[in-house]
Amino acid sequence: MHVPDGYLDAATTAGTAAVAAAGVALALRGARRELDERTAPMAGLTAAFVFAVQMMNFPVGLGTSGHLVGGALTAVLVGPWTAVLCMTVVLLVQAVVFADGGLTALGTNTVLMGLVAIGVGYGVFRLLRAVLPATRTGVLAATGVGAFLSVPAAALVFVLLFGLGGVADVPVGSVAAAMVGVHLLIGLGEAAISVAVLGAVLAVRPDLVRGARDLARGPALAPRPASAGRPTAPTAPTATDAR
């Protein structure tokens, strides 16, 4: 999903940089309503997790590999505005330290993975939360579908950008077929990883999941007591009991 330097012409690259800057500016304002004593540490942990997992690829067939984008997962965990900031930091570090995507393409990658993937993933999540049962299963299902759709959505936006300012002499139709086909498969991996990670967090600390805070106080997401399923030791009789 990382677009390298030189894939788009200067005008398109500058345009995506402007859109990315505007999106990050809005996210800085919106994140003030999301960050609190629980969300702030969670945002750092989530950014570190996404950074690490994006460095690991999984095969999708025909010599192609993919990696977790993490847009939908991050938005569900810490909120969409904070998720944009997390993703921007991840992409910046990757571009500066590992030359993954490149500095001139930072705006493009921020638009694709920081705005489109998060916007589509979290938007689908919220829509499905409104119609699915208010249970752990409903939260996981909404996250999985949102994560799956966010990846081909970002790929489609890249195809549009390539059609506007791609420098390679490749038909847009061929680019669309390759990008969408591969990223549909990558989306399946995205959904599986997102559901697995979110399920693990919900099992131990449901109160940390911003997208499920409305359920954290109820039995649907209540963490299992530490003594659940363990036999209790008999207590010694007291003097009052012996009477």
Side-chain angles (χ1 to χ4, degrees), residues 141-232:
T143 302
V145 176
F148 168 70
L149 293 177
S150 68
V151 177
L156 276 174
V157 173
F158 170 76
V159 173
L160 293 176
L161 294 174
F162 185 85
L164 291 174
V167 299
D169 188 16
V170 181
V172 176
S174 300
V175 175
M179 287 292 292
V180 175
V182 168
H183 285 86
L184 282 172
L185 297 176
I186 295 175
L188 295 175
E190 178 91 8
I193 296 172
S194 298
V195 169
V197 172
L198 185 62
V201 177
L202 288 174
V204 293
R205 288 297 303 273
D207 58 302
L208 295 180
V209 180
R210 185 172 185 87
R213 280 189 179 179
D214 58 316
L215 304 182
R217 301 184 186 90
L221 288 181
R224 182 179 300 176
S227 61
R230 299 178 185 173
T232 57

Side-chain angles (χ1 to χ4, degrees), residues 55-234:
M55 304 299 288
M56 299 183 293
N57 289 1
F58 53 84
V60 294
L62 301 176
T64 305
S65 62
H67 63 76
L68 177 80
V69 175
L73 173 63
T74 306
V76 174
L77 287 173
V78 297
W81 298 116
T82 305
V84 171
L85 300 182
C86 291
M87 192 67 67
T88 302
V89 171
V90 168
L91 294 172
L92 178 61
V93 173
Q94 289 175 340
V96 172
V97 179
F98 298 99
D100 196 357
L103 284 175
T104 63
L106 179 61
T108 302
N109 287 315
T110 301
V111 168
L112 297 177
M113 290 183 277
L115 301 182
V116 176
I118 290 173
V120 172
Y122 190 73
V124 171
F125 170 79
R126 294 303 304 173
L127 287 174
L128 291 180
R129 279 297 317 275
V131 298
L132 291 176
T135 61
R136 183 194 304 265
T137 301
V139 171
L140 294 177
T143 302
V145 176
F148 168 70
L149 293 177
S150 68
V151 177
L156 276 174
V157 173
F158 170 76
V159 173
L160 293 176
L161 294 174
F162 185 85
L164 291 174
V167 299
D169 188 16
V170 181
V172 176
S174 300
V175 175
M179 287 292 292
V180 175
V182 168
H183 285 86
L184 282 172
L185 297 176
I186 295 175
L188 295 175
E190 178 91 8
I193 296 172
S194 298
V195 169
V197 172
L198 185 62
V201 177
L202 288 174
V204 293
R205 288 297 303 273
D207 58 302
L208 295 180
V209 180
R210 185 172 185 87
R213 280 189 179 179
D214 58 316
L215 304 182
R217 301 184 186 90
L221 288 181
R224 182 179 300 176
S227 61
R230 299 178 185 173
T232 57

Side-chain angles (χ1 to χ4, degrees), residues 7-40:
Y7 261 50
L8 303 175
D9 61 22
T12 307
T13 299
T16 58
V19 173
V24 172
L26 289 174
L28 285 170
R29 297 183 60 181
R32 297 175 184 176
R33 300 188 298 270
E34 295 175 345
L35 291 172
D36 53 30
E37 68 278 0
R38 289 179 296 178
T39 308

